[in-house]
Amino acid sequence: MRRPFARVLALAAAAAAIPLVSTAPATADVVIGGYPVEISESPWTVALSSRDRFGGTRAGQFCGGVVIGRSTVLTAAHCLSEEVLGAPPRQVRDLRVVAGRGDLLSDEGKEIAIRETWINPRYDGYTNAGDFAVLTLAEPLAASSVIRMAGPEDAAYRTGTDAVVYGWGDTTSGGDYARALRAARVRVLSDTVCEGAYPGSADGTYLAGSMLCAGEGAGGRDACQGDSGGPLVAQGRLIGLVSWGSGCGRADSPGVYTRVSEVVRTLGAGR
Ligand code: ARG
């Protein structure tokens, strides 16, 4: 017969094994749980860069952005915050948009100066509501780089819709930033799911109407740090900008995106 002490040890070993198994993400690697994509497949995905602020090893990439007009790029408001840049944006002299470059270490595509920066004055750094900003480029991109934004009634916002998020962000939640562009497949989740996950916490508060909830029920696929401002695309239209979340790719903590219909409404009303 086994002695009780040995039984306790055996149970402890079994219990210890559980977290080890469950913390190994099922499909860890974007963006989290992603795959490499060619920039030519998503020419509207751009990188925001400042070598002064973020160093030159990855061309200074620190956020994503989306081309919504030949000279207009949308990004997250929080990407241009002093907290991220370490200085007000106007003091960051080498702030640029890198377009047409999938591999940050290559010299494909071009680096374009920014002529004007508009940060949504209604952005709320506490809830994260209104997390978008508009950059006007010093020179226009090709019309083929522009993606259409989904308007308020667009079917692409419906719960269950397949969507893809793109970025050069952390692929493991451990600070392993991608060198080349990646994408992850997620699904539009109901507002109820994110309202339940984010009723109001240090990370933010989910507000249906101005935010969009997306991920995978079981976790595994998600955006992560460094992907902010980048696109969430469904049915060929832009539906979200990477904004926030709690950790990355965790079950029960979906990704929260700026709802693009809210951007369309704001810009349509003359900002
Ligand atoms: N705030 C992050 C950034 O600045 C994006 C976080 C997205 N997180 C998530 N789990 N989807 O890059």
Side-chain angles (χ1 to χ4, degrees):
M1 206 182 104
R2 272 167 111 182
R3 282 169 295 137
F5 182 59
R7 276 252 310 279
V8 171
L9 279 181
L11 283 174
I18 293 164
L20 282 179
V21 172
S22 63
T23 50
T27 46
D29 54 280
V30 180
V31 197
I32 306 285
Y35 53 90
V37 283
E38 294 294 328
I39 193 70
S40 56
E41 291 168 36
S42 64
W44 16 265
T45 306
V46 295
L48 299 198
S49 133
S50 166
R51 288 179 179 80
D52 279 358
R53 291 282 144 188
F54 303 95
T57 52
R58 294 170 59 264
Q61 187 274 340
F62 66 97
C63 264
V66 199
V67 183
I68 57 154
R70 291 190 58 190
S71 301
T72 313
V73 165
L74 218 50
T75 187
H78 83 259
C79 285
L80 302 172
S81 67
E82 220 170 309
E83 203 178 320
V84 168
L85 294 176
R90 71 166 60 112
Q91 276 174 35
V92 183
R93 292 293 156 78
D94 73 337
L95 189 64
R96 288 194 187 97
V97 159
V98 184
R101 183 178 304 167
D103 180 348
L104 295 172
L105 303 191
S106 75
D107 55 11
E108 288 181 283
K110 42 185 166 175
E111 301 192 7
I112 305 170
I114 292 160
R115 206 180 64 209
E116 197 189 315
T117 300
W118 180 85
I119 303 169
N120 181 14
R122 280 177 290 255
Y123 165 60
D124 179 342
Y126 184 73
T127 59
N128 295 321
D131 193 10
F132 64 94
V134 180
L135 305 174
T136 307
L137 304 178
E139 51 173 302
L141 292 165
S144 55
S145 305
V146 177
I147 190 169
R148 192 151 72 83
M149 297 190 282
E153 302 305 324
D154 201 300
Y157 292 105
R158 286 199 195 127
T159 300
T161 303
D162 289 313
V164 182
V165 57
Y166 298 83
W168 289 269
D170 193 347
T171 62
T172 63
S173 317
D176 301 302
Y177 292 89
R179 159 179 171 170
L181 183 62
R182 300 180 71 82
R185 284 180 209 289
V186 292
R187 222 178 274 275
V188 175
L189 302 174
S190 74
D191 290 325
T192 320
V193 171
C194 273
E195 282 163 347
Y198 306 113
S201 68
D203 294 313
T205 305
Y206 187 80
L207 298 167
S210 70
M211 299 180 187
L212 182 70
C213 186
E216 275 295 318
R221 299 194 212 131
D222 195 4
C224 199
Q225 300 342 301
D227 292 322
S228 280
L232 177 69
V233 176
Q235 299 173 358
R237 281 147 355 245
L238 181 68
I239 60 169
L241 301 176
V242 176
S243 180
W244 61 285
S246 174
C248 305
R250 294 191 198 152
D252 310 320
S253 299
V256 184
Y257 296 79
T258 307
R259 190 180 279 265
V260 164
S261 56
E262 183 65 9
V263 177
V264 171
R265 226 173 44 80
T266 307
L267 300 185
R271 296 179 186 176

